[in-house]
């Protein structure tokens, strides 16, 4: 289990990580997602014990990252960002060496290395010099080194960076097969990869943890909300405008606009009714409710039924994780802008309180301060 | 065991890259030339020529051995998995130091060939030869310790080399010029810093405990400094 509580890391005046708290339960595979400079790698380094937190604490299986650092490191399998290796060593030499650093010598070490080589499909490369390997193989060497001492916690920072799609797929299934009952934290900025590999996601931006949960939770909590796509027949003398007005009048509806043809996400709503896109007799509308309502679909259906209109489509829009991610990241950027505008004072706390928090993640982030 | 694994890797890595071979070849060539220069009919059968030349050769060779110890890890980023493995910072630094020391011992060991040559052509006195080698080893060990320290400060091997070289070159100037020009008692103190004077005693066959203590303690001092420099990376 990984327990990160109220962790902050400042490098001089640079705030790499601010008040981050989360837990990774035993056996869970959790993805850490975020744009460059979001504080992902710094957080992982603090868990690995190579960087101490400025404030807050990190523990792995109950071992503190500063006080019990060495014991903690025994349980960790760590693949750092950029996967540094010694190019002049042969694969098997390097793995034997990394094994010995974990106290695996002699026959035991040899067996561990052979196993890791087999698991990471490095058999043919075992006598090759690391410097002569392709990036994909090097990545596997890094992975093999991270897991050869059978760690209970895996920290993998960008395990698939620089790999081609086939290799990414292989590595992904390798990670899944390795995970087993291990706790794993996987850093990435490739959403699709993390979504497929991980049970839960942590979304970082601007040094803060913005959101966490599984994909479904994230979408329902941080997605655009209760949004419905409605496609109804236009007849009985009803105009688009009138019909939209009727949808807008339904209890709990925030807005009802005509849907633009397949524009990019987020642009659709903005275009509104001005762009006539319906194919003559149909109105395609996007109806947003202010909150979750169990009877939303029924109410919209009733509008059409009362006017005697046929309904071609009536369905709740499934927001994609990508939209959620982009929304969180851009609101983090707005926060940063607001902070730098209202800042100038060295005391971070005052500035932080001025900055509007993006989401529920902000509330938990503030807990550790007082 | 972990410390010895690191030492082993360091030692072996000198032979995995050309640098180790080049350094070894260069030292053996130049020290061989120096030795050959002292081989004359009627000349005393000693290795003092070799020892005298070696202390200057080591000034170049030792920083070249030590420059990569930590700097290379910093540059490659391999310091990250190393520091994340369950090995103390002191073990990391000590392991690296021992690896480099091993290379030095090997390098000096090869020059024992010269002793064989002396034995073949003359009747050498073994006392001064033994103490001379001890002096050379202790001097080299100090060079390496200081080199290790500078290597732990920077990711640039060139900078680590230059800092080490300048340190000892400065020390040499201070001790020789200082002994001549500084007023009492500073001239005395400056002379105490002279490595050449101490090594001279060893080469003459004088085994002075004060010298041994000086070399061993200053070497350890710089190894500890290097460990602190590495550990400080965890605070930053």
């Amino acid at each position: 289990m990984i327990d990160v509580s109220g962790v902050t890391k400042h490098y001089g005046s640079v705030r790499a990580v601010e008040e981050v708290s989360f837990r990774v339960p035993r056996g869970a595979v959790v993805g850490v997602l975020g744009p460059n400079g979001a504080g992902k790698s710094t957080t992982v380094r603090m868990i690995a014990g190579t960087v101490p937190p400025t404030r807050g604490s990190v523990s792995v299986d109950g071992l503190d990252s500063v006080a019990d650092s060495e014991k903690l490191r025994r349980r960790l399998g760590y693949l750092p960002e950029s996967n540094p290796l010694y190019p002049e060593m042969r694969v098997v030499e390097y793995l034997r060496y990394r094994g010995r650093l974990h106290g695996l010598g002699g026959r035991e070490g040899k067996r561990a290395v052979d196993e890791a080589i087999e698991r990471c499909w490095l058999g043919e490369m075992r006598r090759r010099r690391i410097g002569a390997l392709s990036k994909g193989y090097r990545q596997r060497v890094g992975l093999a080194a991270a897991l050869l001492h059978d760690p209970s916690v895996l920290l993998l920072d960008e395990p698939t960076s620089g790999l081609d799609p086939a290799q990414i797929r292989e590595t992904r299934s390798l990670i899944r097969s390795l995970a087993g009952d291990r706790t794993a934290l996987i850093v990435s900025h490739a959403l699709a990869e993390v979504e497929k590999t991980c049970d839960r996601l942590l979304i970082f931006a601007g040094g803060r943890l913005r959101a966490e949960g599984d994909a479904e939770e994230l979408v329902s909590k941080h997605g655009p909300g209760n949004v419905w796509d409605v496609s109804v027949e236009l007849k009985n003398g009803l105009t688009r405008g009138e019909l939209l007005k009727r949808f807008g009048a339904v209890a709990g509806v925030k807005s009802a606009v005509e849907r633009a043809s397949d524009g990019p996400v987020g642009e659709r709503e903005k275009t509104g009714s001005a762009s006539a896109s319906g194919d003559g007799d149909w109105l395609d509308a996007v109806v947003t409710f202010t909150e979750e309502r169990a009877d939303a679909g029924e109410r919209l259906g009733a509008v059409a039924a009362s006017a005697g209109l046929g309904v071609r489509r009536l369905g709740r829009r499934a927001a994609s994780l990508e939209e959620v991610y982009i929304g969180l990241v851009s609101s983090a950027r707005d926060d940063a802008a607001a902070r730098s505008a209202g800042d100038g004072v060295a005391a971070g706390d005052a500035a932080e309180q001025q900055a509007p928090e993006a989401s529920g993640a902000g509330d938990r982030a503030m807990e550790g301060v007082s | 065991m972990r410390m010895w694994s690191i030492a082993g890797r360091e030692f072996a890595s000198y032979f995995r890259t050309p640098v180790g071979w080049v350094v070894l070849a260069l030292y053996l060539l130049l020290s061989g030339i120096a030795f050959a220069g002292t081989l004359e009919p009627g000349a005393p059968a000693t290795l003092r020529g070799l020892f005298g030349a070696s202390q200057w050769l080591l000034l170049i060779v030792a920083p070249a051995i030590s420059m990569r110890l930590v700097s290379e890890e910093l540059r490659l980023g391999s310091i990250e998995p190393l520091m994340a493995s369950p090995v103390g910072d002191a073990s990391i630094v000590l392991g690296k130091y021992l690896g480099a020391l091993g290379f030095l011992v090997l390098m000096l060991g090869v020059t024992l060939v010269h002793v064989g040559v002396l034995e073949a052509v003359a009747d050498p006195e073994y006392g001064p030869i033994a103490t001379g080698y001890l002096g050379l080893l202790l001097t080299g060990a100090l060079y390496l310790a200081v080199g290790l320290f500078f290597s732990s400060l920077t990711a640039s091997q060139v900078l680590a080399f230059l800092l080490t070289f300048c340190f000892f070159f400065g020390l040499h100037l201070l001790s020789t010029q200082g002994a001549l020009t500084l007023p009492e008692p500073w001239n005395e103190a400056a002379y105490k810093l002279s490595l050449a004077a101490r090594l001279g005693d060893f080469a003459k066959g004088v085994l002075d405990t004060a010298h041994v203590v000086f070399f061993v303690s200053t070497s350890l001092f710089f190894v500890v400094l290097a460990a602190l420099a590495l550990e400080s990376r965890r605070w930053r």
Side-chain angles (χ1 to χ4, degrees), chain A residues 115-180:
Chain A
E115 235 176 75
I117 282 179
E118 198 179 315
R119 288 194 102 159
C120 298
W121 308 300
L122 279 165
E124 288 163 32
M125 300 294 150
R126 59 182 296 144
R127 298 290 311 156
R128 288 272 186 95
R129 277 176 21 140
I130 292 172
L133 294 181
S134 69
K135 187 147 187 189
Y137 277 115
R138 256 183 271 176
Q139 206 69 20
R140 290 185 202 173
V141 174
L143 270 174
L147 57 92
L148 61 86
H149 56 286
D150 194 20
S152 62
V153 173
L154 277 175
L155 299 175
L156 308 177
D157 199 342
E158 303 277 1
T160 57
S161 77
L163 303 186
D164 68 39
Q167 292 168 327
I168 288 178
R169 182 179 259 184
E170 275 174 21
T171 311
R172 201 189 294 144
S173 69
L174 174 64
I175 291 171
R176 277 258 54 134
S177 76
L178 294 175

Side-chain angles (χ1 to χ4, degrees), chain B residues 18-62:
Chain B
V19 179
W21 292 107
V22 169
V23 163
L24 191 60
L26 203 69
Y27 173 74
L28 292 178
L29 176 74
L30 294 177
S31 66
I33 291 172
F35 170 69
T38 62
L39 273 188
E40 277 169 44
T46 66
L47 280 181
R48 278 166 84 167
L50 173 78
F51 296 144
S54 280
Q55 77 169 293
W56 301 114
L57 284 176
L58 281 182
L59 190 55
I60 309 263
V61 167

Side-chain angles (χ1 to χ4, degrees), chain A residues 9-11 45 48-52 69-71 73-74 76 78 80 82 84-90 93-94 97-106 129, chain B residues 1-10 13 16-17 68 72-73 75-89 91-92 96 233-236:
Chain A
K9 180 71 196 177
H10 292 177
Y11 291 104
R45 286 197 182 117
T50 58
V51 163
S69 175
E70 230 173 284
K71 264 191 212 156
R73 283 181 264 149
R74 246 171 251 169
L76 284 185
Y78 177 35
S82 83
L85 303 166
Y86 301 111
E88 77 279 4
M89 288 180 98
R90 293 180 196 283
E93 285 170 347
Y94 176 70
Y97 168 67
R98 285 287 297 266
R100 281 195 297 268
L101 291 184
H102 280 276
L104 293 174
R129 277 176 21 140
Chain B
M1 167 184 149
R2 293 175 172 125
M3 181 184 78
W4 290 107
S5 305
I6 293 173
R9 197 200 81 83
E10 288 305 326
S13 71
R16 290 198 183 103
T17 58
R68 52 169 292 284
E72 193 179 34
E73 304 258 11
R75 187 181 60 80
L76 286 173
S78 49
I79 194 79
E80 185 81 10
L82 186 57
M83 289 181 80
S85 55
V87 186
D89 296 337
S91 300
I92 294 176
K96 287 181 168 289
R233 294 190 170 267
R234 292 194 203 267
W235 314 332
R236 279 181 253 158

